[in-house]
Amino acid sequence: MSSAQLLRLQRRMNAIPQAVRDAVTPALVKSGEELVARMRALAPEDTGALKASITATPPGGTTPAYSQPGGATTAGPNQVLVTAGNEHVRYPHLVEYGAAHAPAQPFFWPAYRLTKKRIANRVKRAIGKAVREEWKS
């Protein structure tokens, strides 16, 4: 993305009323929780530590250290980050993609692909509703 495109995007984002941005947060959080549930359902059950390490970080929160993909990243104002792993579980990428002597057991990206359309629709509905409410007032 060029700097001109980035500037244009930033101007467009700043033009969105704060009330609309705030109204979308519950839909984002719900979508993150749904994605976490789907990932946990698909993750292998070996010890349960991997499943327990899958979390959704709400806006303003910080992801666990050593989580994949991200590791100690702060979520932006309209961002929910879903990660797997923590300081005790540092191997989600090896489970997802496999290793020399361990076959891949994908759970992260298949869950995302299965849930992506549902999440997009939920967020679009929340945005549309918030915009309509903002225009009424």
Side-chain angles (χ1 to χ4, degrees):
M1 181 179 284
S2 72
S3 60
Q5 289 173 321
L6 182 60
L7 249 109
R8 195 172 94 227
L9 177 63
Q10 287 174 334
R11 278 195 303 265
R12 289 180 70 190
M13 292 301 290
N14 290 335
I16 298 171
Q18 188 62 42
V20 173
R21 290 187 222 171
D22 293 342
V24 174
T25 301
L28 293 171
V29 171
K30 184 175 181 177
S31 296
E33 291 168 356
E34 180 182 352
L35 185 55
V36 166
R38 175 88 30 106
M39 286 181 184
R40 286 182 178 166
L42 294 176
E45 182 63 53
D46 300 334
T47 64
L50 177 60
K51 285 185 177 197
S53 76
I54 301 170
T55 60
T57 304
T62 303
T63 62
Y66 304 104
S67 61
Q68 299 289 325
T73 302
T74 302
N78 276 334
Q79 192 176 38
V80 173
L81 303 175
V82 176
T83 57
N86 54 35
E87 60 275 357
H88 304 292
V89 179
R90 296 187 183 186
Y91 52 84
H93 60 291
L94 298 175
V95 174
E96 180 76 14
Y97 300 111
H101 299 290
Q105 299 176 57
F107 66 96
F108 196 94
W109 293 114
Y112 169 74
R113 286 190 295 272
L114 287 169
T115 316
K116 178 173 59 171
K117 185 173 181 180
R118 214 172 131 79
I119 289 171
N121 289 338
R122 178 182 292 123
V123 171
K124 286 176 190 176
R125 278 192 310 274
I127 290 170
K129 182 179 178 187
V131 167
R132 285 190 300 278
E133 296 292 322
E134 183 67 20
W135 282 357
K136 286 180 184 176
S137 61

